[in-house]
Amino acid sequence: MKKRYLGLAVYFVILFIPIYWMVVTSLKTDQEILSEFTLIPSEVTFENYAEIFSSEVWRSSFVNSLMYVLLNVLITVAVAVPGAYAFSRWTFRGSHHLFFWLLTNRMAPAAAFIVPFIEVYSALGLFDTHLGVALAHCLFNIPLAIWILEGFMSGIPREIDETAYIDGYSFPRFFGKIFLPLIGPGIGVAAFFCFTFSWVELILAKSLTVTNAKPVVVTLTVGIGAEGVRWGLLAAAGVLTVIPGAIAVFFIRKYMAKGFALGRV
Amino acid sequence: MKPHPWLFLLPALAIMAMSAFIPLMTVVNYSLHYIFVGSEPEYVGLANYVEVLQDPAFRGALLRQIVFSLLVLAVEIPFGIAIALAMPRKGWGSGVALVLLGIPLLIPYNVVGIIWRLFTQTGIGVVPRALALIGYNYNVSLHQFDAVITVFLIDVWHWTPLVALLAYAGLQSIPDAFYRAAQIDGASAVATFRYVTLPKLRPVLILAVLLRLMDSFKIYSEPLLLTGGGPGNATTSLSLFVARKAESFELGYAGAASVIYLYIVILLSFIFFQAMTRAGEVRR
């Protein structure tokens, strides 16, 4: 019993060493990063963070990322809930094929879609907009959300639907009052995964934006190409990009625990 | 009574048309043409496909990719299950472990790239200095082996927590009664794992294997940020290879390569799915 937890503790330490290194680097001066090797900064500085917060480019790119990620989660959940309901409650002509087709989109390499996305979305006026990136990310998030939600919904007996009708519930009332609360944890888990995958995605976000919707992940990459890499600054920005996700996990942890307890992910 | 299923699917399908179907059809269209900048595309049938399949560079990237993904699965799946088994089942420890596992998953790909560059860069990183102590000259931008193994470790570091989370979810759903029954029958720990835990975990493991297969097959940012796909072509993943072709506007070639790429992933996923489903049926 104890040995088991010791092993787990060692794993978590190893898991967090690279993250620790990033945090520490973000608190060092550029000079210390390049000239010395220190596990703890000899002189803690918040200059890197100050520089990011005072920079319009960094600030707006953080806002851009949050905008399209939230938009993506909203769109995905809104269309995936009814979609998953259809798959969990009916077996209709071609339903298995359609389900599999949806999943194949989760497999599609985003790199292959760069040029068509730019071409099609430019024609539709979606290029370099938050909505454009949010829609593009639906490519992998809708299949995933339907997959997860279908699992949750299949775990809810059909008798509940039938009973509600016999009790005189109309479909919308049944769906809103009874069904949605039942799959709340499932929606939480699906939203969490969509948030994650949209937040970390780089290829499409990079190719579909120039300035208006430029996300923070791209601003970071630009920093790398510049002459004389500013490691401290990059590390600080890296730390900041992890925070929204950590907050998201914190808020939905109860839902996640419930979702995981149901064994439906 | 209940409305028709297609009504429920319509919104999802409408969005998927925008984000999946139209772009995919555009790629297919490219793949059937020779495209030069400034002139009309010329229909060439399957010529691009023949060119791609005969190209040693594409074959090399594909082979590296398959080996990479299989290695990723071979390490991450057992390792993830082991972590899930070691996690506390209830109480505050379970919540803490879940959040800790969730954090690496939330780090954007390129921040992962940055973390590992900070970590492995000659001159500033921990790894080269630590390995120098035991006399190993570690350098990702010069030694192919170092670069490949580092990209592999990045993936294991980043994504094993996902497998662990999924396996943990699966473990939580196994009723205690099964374990009690096994105990009464006098089953050993190994036998309990083999005949109770593993079969019950199967649905969740199928999901984990498929997700990791699909995503490791798409690996892009990590090698790009670590070494730009080098040294040589050692870490040029299939995604990186195809994206380069698209960026240099070889659209016909890139289109054909993309379609082949997509169908290989689908085929591999299908094989894994069938094999794992079958394994469950035979056991029953």
Side-chain angles (χ1 to χ4, degrees), chain A residues 4-5 8 11-12 14-19 21-22 25 33-37 39 75 78-80 82-87 89-90 92-93 98 100-117 119-121 124 126 135-140 142-144 146-147 158 161-162 165 171 175 192-193 195-197 199-203 206 216-218 220-221 224 229 231 234-235 237-239 241-242 245-246 248-250 253 256-257 259-265, chain B residues 1-9 11-13 15-24 26-27 30 79 82-89 94-111 113-121 123-127 129-130 156-162 164-166 168-170 172-173 204 206-207 210-211 214-215 217-218 220-221 224-225 238-240 242-243 246-247 249 251 254-255 258-259 261-262 265-267 269-270 273:
Chain A
R4 190 176 97 171
Y5 290 139
L8 196 65
Y11 170 70
F12 279 128
I14 295 172
L15 190 65
F16 278 86
I17 288 178
I19 299 176
W21 192 244
M22 174 172 73
T25 307
I33 294 168
L34 293 174
S35 60
E36 300 166 67
F37 179 72
L39 287 176
I75 297 173
V79 305
Y85 185 78
F87 284 118
R89 288 304 188 253
W90 285 283
F92 50 92
R93 243 175 108 87
L98 190 62
F100 188 73
W101 174 76
L102 276 174
L103 289 187
T104 61
N105 289 299
R106 183 70 181 63
M107 309 170 195
F113 283 9
I114 296 175
V115 179
F117 262 123
E119 204 160 84
V120 175
Y121 281 31
L124 295 169
L126 288 168
L135 280 177
H137 284 179
C138 286
L139 167 68
F140 45 83
I142 288 181
L144 184 73
I146 290 185
W147 197 1
R158 277 171 209 224
D161 302 30
E162 311 297 338
Y165 296 135
F171 183 77
F175 205 78
F192 165 74
F193 277 102
F195 184 98
T196 309
F197 283 114
W199 180 257
V200 302
E201 204 276 339
L202 172 68
I203 309 176
K206 181 174 143 196
V216 69
V217 284
V218 174
L220 270 169
T221 321
I224 291 173
V229 185
W231 294 108
L234 280 180
V239 171
T241 53
V242 177
V249 180
F250 184 77
R253 72 187 189 287
M256 257 176 85
F260 283 121
L262 285 169
R264 294 284 186 184
V265 172
Chain B
M1 272 313 281
K2 284 197 214 172
H4 200 267
W6 286 101
L7 217 60
F8 286 87
L9 282 167
L13 294 180
I15 303 276
M16 287 309 282
M18 284 284 296
S19 66
F21 192 67
I22 295 174
L24 179 64
T26 316
V27 173
Y30 290 153
F79 193 30
I83 295 163
L85 285 171
M87 276 166 67
R89 293 289 290 275
S94 134
V96 170
L98 279 179
V99 170
L100 288 180
L101 281 179
I103 287 175
L105 302 179
L106 285 159
I107 304 176
Y109 288 100
N110 53 350
V111 178
I114 288 167
I115 290 178
W116 281 81
R117 262 185 88 172
L118 290 170
F119 205 50
T120 60
Q121 193 75 7
I124 62 168
V126 178
V127 179
R129 291 187 220 234
V156 170
W157 172 81
H158 195 187
W159 292 111
T160 305
L162 179 75
L165 280 178
L166 291 170
Y168 183 72
Q172 293 287 59
S173 73
V204 135
I206 291 178
L207 182 63
L210 291 184
L211 274 180
M214 296 171 194
D215 287 352
F217 229 84
K218 294 195 292 195
Y220 174 84
S221 329
L224 178 70
L225 289 173
L238 203 50
S239 248
L240 211 50
V242 172
E247 278 157 10
F249 286 97
L251 294 181
S258 302
V259 174
Y261 183 171
L262 179 60
V265 186
I266 292 174
L267 185 72
S269 305
F270 189 71
F273 180 76

Side-chain angles (χ1 to χ4, degrees), chain A residues 2 13 33 51 71 81 97 99 130 151 165 181 183 192 221 230 234 242 251-252 259 263-264:
Chain A
K2 286 276 174 283
V13 168
I33 294 168
E51 188 172 338
L71 208 54
V81 166
H97 294 285
F99 196 65
H130 300 117
Y165 296 135
I183 53 152
F192 165 74
T221 321
R230 303 273 317 275
L234 280 180
V242 177
F251 276 118
I252 70 142
R264 294 284 186 184

Side-chain angles (χ1 to χ4, degrees), chain A residues 9-252:
Chain A
V10 170
Y11 170 70
F12 279 128
V13 168
I14 295 172
L15 190 65
F16 278 86
I17 288 178
I19 299 176
Y20 172 79
W21 192 244
M22 174 172 73
V23 175
V24 171
T25 307
S26 77
L27 296 172
K28 289 179 183 174
T29 58
D30 280 347
Q31 204 217 335
E32 184 177 344
I33 294 168
L34 293 174
S35 60
E36 300 166 67
F37 179 72
T38 43
L39 287 176
I40 301 165
S42 55
E43 180 195 339
V44 174
T45 169
F46 288 98
E47 250 170 59
N48 295 316
Y49 289 95
E51 188 172 338
I52 289 173
F53 281 119
S54 60
S55 147
E56 181 55 36
V57 178
W58 282 104
R59 271 210 313 261
S60 69
S61 51
F62 267 106
V63 173
N64 287 337
S65 287
L66 275 176
M67 295 257 293
Y68 73 70
V69 170
L70 292 178
L71 208 54
N72 170 270
V73 173
L74 279 179
I75 297 173
T76 306
V77 171
V79 305
V81 166
Y85 185 78
F87 284 118
S88 83
R89 288 304 188 253
W90 285 283
T91 310
F92 50 92
R93 243 175 108 87
S95 63
H96 292 293
H97 294 285
L98 190 62
F99 196 65
F100 188 73
W101 174 76
L102 276 174
L103 289 187
T104 61
N105 289 299
R106 183 70 181 63
M107 309 170 195
F113 283 9
I114 296 175
V115 179
F117 262 123
I118 294 175
E119 204 160 84
V120 175
Y121 281 31
S122 299
L124 295 169
L126 288 168
F127 185 72
D128 203 17
T129 63
H130 300 117
L131 184 63
V133 183
L135 280 177
H137 284 179
C138 286
L139 167 68
F140 45 83
N141 272 348
I142 288 181
L144 184 73
I146 290 185
W147 197 1
I148 293 172
L149 286 168
E150 198 269 338
F152 273 96
M153 290 177 184
S154 299
I156 292 170
R158 277 171 209 224
E159 285 72 32
I160 290 185
D161 302 30
E162 311 297 338
T163 317
Y165 296 135
I166 294 167
D167 289 350
Y169 275 79
S170 68
F171 183 77
R173 248 188 91 209
F174 153 72
F175 205 78
K177 285 259 157 88
I178 300 176
F179 198 72
L180 280 185
L182 277 176
I183 53 152
I187 294 179
V189 173
F192 165 74
F193 277 102
C194 292
F195 184 98
T196 309
F197 283 114
S198 180
W199 180 257
V200 302
E201 204 276 339
L202 172 68
I203 309 176
L204 292 177
K206 181 174 143 196
S207 4
L208 279 174
T209 56
V210 186
T211 49
N212 291 331
K214 189 163 90 172
V216 69
V217 284
V218 174
T219 310
L220 270 169
T221 321
V222 174
I224 291 173
E227 21 151 345
V229 185
R230 303 273 317 275
W231 294 108
L233 193 70
L234 280 180
V239 171
L240 290 175
T241 53
V242 177
I243 290 175
I247 294 173
V249 180
F250 184 77
F251 276 118
I252 70 142

